[in-house]
């Protein structure tokens, strides 16, 4: 694990936006086009090719959902239910309301909030098990009052989904669960098939083929984001226990060998202790190989001269996850401008936000926290402007509006105002 001592070395810590391999993009385009033309037949073919499943029906039955409960531990079920309650409570505070304002001249202006009609939630499958993905993507859509929520997930070779995935979806009341993954599932959601009606927006993580497919269909439908590998930055001073820092760095490193894990501190001694502790804990991890490659390639401890410089480093990195473990983390909160999620204090482990606290774990990566936000209820609604102009207001402001229109060379725009203010003159 590197220890960076020179400010100029910060450039080496920044992760550049990863480009999708042109060959992957080409393959994805072919799949999308094929599904658009052949629908379910194409989806079935690709599901057999990529997942080894020969399906007679794409949709999960009610019997499959009920049977899944027999294979889910009671403590896991309790955790799912409590996490769902926490996530729903947090996101309920994000719900925006339609509003109106009235001016003295009779003008009425406002904004109408309308939920999307339909959303597709992609949930990774195969060897992966991500019930938390379902919670984080479905609940904000439900809070927004999206009418139709469809979940897609790749089946195993036996044509089944993991019990925890089915139980979580059932707990949330998701009725339509479609057994398909990869680019073919994204295509089915975007274009629709005989059995699956198209949606207006696609959310949820996936592999490079899913990311490429989402990028291709954007514009035909909306998407949440193109997510990169996971990232964490821990901002800490010498008051912190280095074992906490190391554990949290590794909590992201074990995700993916491309994950980034960086500590920023003002203490050389702490930097060395963190490095040593990371190595000690690495040797005890079941996913040591993945975590070690992540730490060796994208892990570092950056030593700043002052706390102010340390905060500036954080803002330049704009991490997905930021933990602030200092003597008084709240003193720094106002100075932090760019981070997807901010965890304050030594007991606010990143894992708390990933699963249970209630905040959303779908966060901007690759430095896009400079201009992007976590997935939230607003992502599942749209806004319409409301304009009701009175005659008094149009008479008063009509000449200004017409003048503006003519400045842009749009005579018909000007006349559309004047015909109302000059009693039929054109």
């Amino acid at each position: 694990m590197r220890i960076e001592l020179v400010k100029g070395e910060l450039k080496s810590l920044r992760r550049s936006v990863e480009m999708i391999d042109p060959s992957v993009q080409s393959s994805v385009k072919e799949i999308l086009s094929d599904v658009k033309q052949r629908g379910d037949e194409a989806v079935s073919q690709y599901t057999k090719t990529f997942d080894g499943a020969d399906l007679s029906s794409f949709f999960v039955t009610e019997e499959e959902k009920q049977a899944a409960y027999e294979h889910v531990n009671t403590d896991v079920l309790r955790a799912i239910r409590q996490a769902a309650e926490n996530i729903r409570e947090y996101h309920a505070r994000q719900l925006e309301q339609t509003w109106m304002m009235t001016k003295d001249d009779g003008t009425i202006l406002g904004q109408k909030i309308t939920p999307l009609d339909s959303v597709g939630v992609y949930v990774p499958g195969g060897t992966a098990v991500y019930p938390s993905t379902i919670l984080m993507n479905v609940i904000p859509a439900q809070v927004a009052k999206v009418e139709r929520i469809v979940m897609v997930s790749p089946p195993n070779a036996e044509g089944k989904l993991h019990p925890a995935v089915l139980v979580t979806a059932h707990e949330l009341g998701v009725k339509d669960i479609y057994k398909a993954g990869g680019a073919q599932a994204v295509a089915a959601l975007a274009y629709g098939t005989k059995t699956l009606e198209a949606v207006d927006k696609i959310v949820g993580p996936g592999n490079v083929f899913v990311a490429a497919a989402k990028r291709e269909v954007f514009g035909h439908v909306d998407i949440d984001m193109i997510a990169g590998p996971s990232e964490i930055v821990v901002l800490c001073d010498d008051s912190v226990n280095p074992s906490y820092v190391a554990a949290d760095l590794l909590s992201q490193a074990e995700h993916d060998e491309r994950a980034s894990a960086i500590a920023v501190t003002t203490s050389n001694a702490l930097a060395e202790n963190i490095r040593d502790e990371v190595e000690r804990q690495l040797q005890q991890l079941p996913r040591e190989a993945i975590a070690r490659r992540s730490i060796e390639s994208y892990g570092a401890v950056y030593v700043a001269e002052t706390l102010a410089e340390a905060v500036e480093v954080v803002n330049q990195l704009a991490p997905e996850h930021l933990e602030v473990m200092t003597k008084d983390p709240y003193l720094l909160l106002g100075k932090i401008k760019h981070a997807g999620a901010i965890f304050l204090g030594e007991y606010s482990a990143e894992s708390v936000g990933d699963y249970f606290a209630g905040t959303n774990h779908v966060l901007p990566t690759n430095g896009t926290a400079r201009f992007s936000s976590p997935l939230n209820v607003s992502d599942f609604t749209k806004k319409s402007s409301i304009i009701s102009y009175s005659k008094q207001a149009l008479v008063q402001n009509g000449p200004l509006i017409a003048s503006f229109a003519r400045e842009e060379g749009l005579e018909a725009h000007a006349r559309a105002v004047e015909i109302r203010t000059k009693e039929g003159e054109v």
Side-chain angles (χ1 to χ4, degrees):
M1 189 174 198
R2 295 172 291 161
I3 295 181
E4 304 283 0
L5 298 172
V6 184
K7 188 171 184 180
E9 294 296 318
L10 178 61
K11 184 177 180 180
S12 68
L13 302 183
R14 294 196 190 100
R15 180 188 293 281
S16 58
V17 177
E18 296 185 351
M19 302 302 293
I20 294 176
D21 189 300
S23 64
V24 170
Q25 202 73 45
S26 177
S27 298
V28 164
K29 286 182 178 180
E30 290 181 12
I31 294 171
L32 295 176
S33 177
D34 194 16
V35 173
K36 190 174 183 180
Q37 294 178 34
R38 297 196 296 132
D40 290 323
E41 182 183 352
V43 176
S44 179
Q45 177 185 318
Y46 291 120
T47 301
K48 186 172 183 178
T49 300
F50 298 129
D51 302 308
D54 194 355
L55 301 176
S56 58
S57 173
F58 290 109
F59 283 100
V60 172
T61 65
E62 190 62 30
E63 289 73 22
E64 287 178 283
K65 296 175 191 175
Q66 293 297 336
Y69 279 84
E70 300 175 9
H71 305 283
V72 175
N73 181 281
T74 303
D75 286 341
V76 173
L77 181 57
R78 286 179 56 222
I80 289 170
R81 287 172 174 170
Q82 185 59 58
E85 184 178 326
N86 295 344
I87 295 164
R88 197 174 299 279
E89 178 184 31
Y90 178 86
H91 287 79
R93 290 179 172 270
Q94 298 176 342
L95 191 60
E96 296 179 275
Q97 301 296 324
T98 295
W99 57 267
M100 298 274 198
M101 59 177 283
T102 303
K103 295 187 175 183
D104 292 340
D105 61 8
T107 297
I108 299 174
L109 301 175
Q111 183 171 265
K112 184 177 185 294
I113 307 296
T114 306
L116 302 182
D117 287 340
S118 55
V119 169
V121 176
Y122 189 98
V123 179
T127 58
V129 183
Y130 294 118
S132 61
T133 293
I134 304 171
L135 297 172
M136 297 294 177
N137 286 273
V138 169
I139 292 176
Q142 291 178 330
V143 171
K145 297 182 172 55
V146 173
E147 186 174 336
R148 185 170 71 95
I149 300 173
V150 181
M151 193 181 98
V152 300
S153 188
N156 61 21
E158 297 176 350
K160 297 180 180 180
L161 301 185
H162 193 278
V165 168
L166 292 180
V167 165
T168 303
H170 187 263
E171 286 290 313
L172 297 184
V174 178
K175 296 180 180 179
D176 294 335
I177 306 174
Y178 191 75
K179 298 177 182 178
Q184 61 270 23
V186 174
L189 289 172
Y191 306 128
T193 70
K194 185 176 180 180
T195 60
L196 179 62
E197 185 181 350
V199 299
D200 295 317
K201 183 164 187 169
I202 301 172
V203 300
N207 61 20
V208 66
F209 290 92
V210 173
K214 287 170 68 177
R215 178 174 290 177
E216 285 293 323
V217 300
F218 176 61
H220 185 79
V221 296
D222 192 16
I223 63 172
D224 49 355
M225 63 183 73
I226 304 295
S230 191
E231 310 159 352
I232 187 170
V233 170
V234 181
L235 174 59
C236 51
D237 60 19
D238 55 13
S239 69
V240 73
N241 185 330
S243 66
Y244 294 179
V245 179
D248 292 350
L249 293 175
L250 291 173
S251 73
Q252 293 308 291
E254 75 171 351
H255 265 298
D256 185 339
E257 59 189 49
R258 299 174 302 151
S260 171
I262 298 170
V264 180
T265 183
T266 54
S267 168
N268 283 287
L270 177 61
E272 293 174 0
N273 288 338
I274 291 171
R275 179 187 59 192
D276 295 344
E277 186 64 23
V278 165
E279 177 57 36
R280 186 187 71 79
Q281 293 187 29
L282 257 175
Q283 297 174 23
Q284 302 170 8
L285 283 181
R287 294 168 66 91
E288 178 188 354
I290 292 173
R292 185 174 293 280
R293 284 193 289 271
S294 165
I295 290 296
E296 290 175 350
S297 300
Y298 302 105
V301 182
Y302 184 94
V303 182
E305 293 183 5
T306 65
L307 201 54
E309 182 194 325
V311 171
E312 180 57 30
V313 169
V314 167
N315 284 329
Q316 290 189 49
L317 292 173
E320 178 187 16
H321 306 94
L322 170 65
E323 292 186 356
V324 184
M325 286 193 271
T326 57
K327 292 173 184 174
D328 192 343
Y330 282 91
L331 286 178
L332 300 179
L333 181 58
K335 299 175 182 178
I336 294 166
K337 297 190 294 182
H338 307 308
I342 304 170
F343 299 78
L344 301 174
E346 62 183 351
Y347 297 108
S348 304
E350 184 274 338
S351 308
V352 175
D354 257 4
Y355 298 107
F356 203 75
T359 55
N360 208 292
H361 77 197
V362 182
L363 303 166
T365 58
N366 286 334
T368 58
R370 290 177 292 108
F371 52 80
S372 298
S373 305
L375 190 72
N376 61 83
V377 172
S378 295
D379 288 309
F380 299 97
T381 64
K382 58 188 182 69
K383 302 175 177 68
S384 300
S385 301
I386 299 170
I387 307 98
S388 177
Y389 234 48
S390 66
K391 182 176 181 180
Q392 177 187 344
L394 193 62
V395 169
Q396 179 180 337
N397 298 304
L400 296 177
I401 299 169
S403 176
F404 213 145
R406 288 193 173 101
E407 179 64 25
E408 295 191 347
L410 299 174
E411 180 63 24
H413 279 65
R415 294 186 182 193
V417 171
E418 292 175 341
I419 199 171
R420 290 168 165 79
T421 60
K422 294 184 178 180
E423 298 300 330
E425 291 181 24
V426 180

